[in-house]
Amino acid sequence: MIDTHCHLFYDEIFNDLDSKLEFAYSMGVTNFLTVGTDNKHMYQNIEIANKYNNIVCSIGIHPTEYNCGYNIEEMRKLPEQYNKIVAIGEVGLDYHYIDLAPKDKQLVLFEEMLQLSKDTNLPLILHCRECFSDNLFKLIKQYNENAVFHCFTDSLENAKKIINNGFYLSLTGIVTFKNSQELREVAKYVPDDRLLIETDSPYLAPVPQRGKPNEPGFVRYVAECICEQRKCTLQYLSDITNDNFYRLFPRARIMLDRN
Ligand SMILES: [Zn+2]
């Protein structure tokens, strides 16, 4: 199993990284994509990926971090220097937090990140909240057809639009929460070849660990919940989500060669 979206550079995980990874192995979780959010953590994130055979990373500026002082020219050169960088993300629009980051600033940043994904020919990891519209899909497709909507928590209707537009959809521990009935419908609906699983740790720990700091090993609980919905085995879910991961992020195949 792969945790396709975690943030290993945050103190909650980083300060104890080796034992968190050991725990993950004991849960059957063997590979990880640690996702960038801002300028400050960018190089630390790359360093983590460089240190471990089974970790790859992404670079990107989260919509609420538009003011973090990134240098787009510098970012453009990084994927050539570091083959552990497999994606641009997480980037997107978060209209839940417009008081933190006004819509116009978010949009400028997003288009810059979309252009970065086009220039580097890397797939996108999208953070999109309360911003779904046909225009959003049109905008993304102008730059890049290869993208995953990470931590999907929206309606079944919008899940269908994501799939019909040819994108991937990723579910976190939120799918295990008591009130997430519609999200479990989404878990049932997404076709085998479009689904990814993730923790988004250290946030959003799934049931039965809800309320605790999240960690990559807990993606197993996300997977088990989805298996119940889809009436499939853990092995089957793990196989299809692994396939999807390596298809969406071709540069991550480096992990296959080494494991
Ligand atoms: Zn995230």
Side-chain angles (χ1 to χ4, degrees):
M1 236 177 301
I2 304 171
D3 185 0
T4 71
H5 187 122
C6 48
H7 302 287
L8 302 181
F9 49 86
Y10 284 131
D11 287 350
E12 293 92 323
I13 298 177
F14 185 74
N15 290 342
D16 206 11
L17 184 56
D18 282 312
S19 71
K20 301 281 188 208
L21 293 177
E22 281 306 321
F23 173 74
Y25 304 152
S26 77
M27 296 286 275
V29 184
T30 51
N31 292 357
F32 314 85
L33 198 175
T34 178
V35 175
T37 53
D38 62 10
N39 194 58
K40 182 179 151 212
H41 293 105
M42 188 155 24
Y43 288 92
Q44 189 191 355
N45 204 31
I46 296 169
E47 228 172 84
I48 292 169
N50 279 338
K51 194 175 159 200
Y52 297 86
N53 284 344
N54 53 351
I55 301 178
V56 289
C57 68
S58 69
I59 55 168
I61 310 297
H62 186 282
T64 58
E65 300 286 345
Y66 72 95
N67 226 350
C68 71
Y70 62 97
N71 179 326
I72 193 73
E73 291 314 319
E74 223 170 87
M75 289 178 77
R76 215 184 303 279
K77 292 180 201 144
L78 289 174
E80 265 177 52
Q81 277 170 270
Y82 301 103
N83 62 0
K84 282 303 194 78
I85 299 173
V86 304
I88 302 301
E90 53 184 289
V91 301
L93 298 170
D94 192 325
Y95 289 173
H96 187 74
Y97 284 116
I98 41 178
D99 32 334
L100 271 179
K103 283 186 182 181
D104 55 330
K105 305 272 189 205
Q106 289 195 32
L107 199 60
V108 170
L109 169 64
F110 188 30
E111 293 204 53
E112 212 168 16
M113 294 294 128
L114 288 168
Q115 185 64 47
L116 179 65
S117 82
K118 188 176 178 182
D119 294 344
T120 56
N121 198 23
L122 288 174
L124 286 160
I125 299 167
L126 297 170
H127 172 107
C128 291
R129 198 167 170 202
E130 295 175 20
C131 64
F132 285 96
S133 72
D134 293 338
N135 283 339
L136 173 72
F137 297 117
K138 234 183 269 169
L139 173 67
I140 298 163
K141 282 183 165 179
Q142 276 169 26
Y143 294 89
N144 202 330
E145 304 268 340
N146 300 312
V148 56
F149 283 78
H150 117 87
C151 190
F152 182 82
T153 56
D154 213 280
S155 63
L156 181 58
E157 191 192 335
N158 281 330
K160 288 181 178 170
K161 285 187 184 166
I162 287 173
I163 300 307
N164 291 338
N165 275 283
F167 298 119
Y168 292 78
L169 185 153
S170 182
L171 295 171
T172 60
I174 295 179
V175 73
T176 67
F177 294 179
K178 199 167 171 238
N179 291 336
S180 301
Q181 200 48 52
E182 187 168 8
L183 206 50
R184 285 188 283 279
E185 293 301 316
V186 171
K188 254 186 254 180
Y189 156 75
V190 180
D192 273 4
D193 62 351
R194 293 287 138 177
L195 180 67
L196 292 179
I197 51 173
E198 59 168 298
T199 58
D200 205 14
S201 50
Y203 311 112
L204 304 172
V207 175
Q209 307 291 343
R210 192 173 177 180
K212 294 187 194 158
N214 200 359
E215 54 181 288
F218 291 174
V219 78
R220 166 85 171 256
Y221 300 120
V222 179
E224 283 171 348
C225 171
I226 296 172
C227 286
E228 260 173 57
Q229 303 306 315
R230 296 170 78 90
K231 308 262 180 279
C232 70
T233 63
L234 194 60
Q235 186 62 52
Y236 183 80
L237 188 78
S238 155
D239 287 346
I240 61 164
T241 52
N242 284 3
D243 285 351
N244 294 343
F245 176 80
Y246 291 114
R247 192 184 324 110
L248 176 60
F249 304 113
R251 276 172 57 130
R253 289 179 191 149
I254 194 172
M255 297 194 294
L256 292 173
D257 301 338
R258 292 184 187 179
N259 278 317

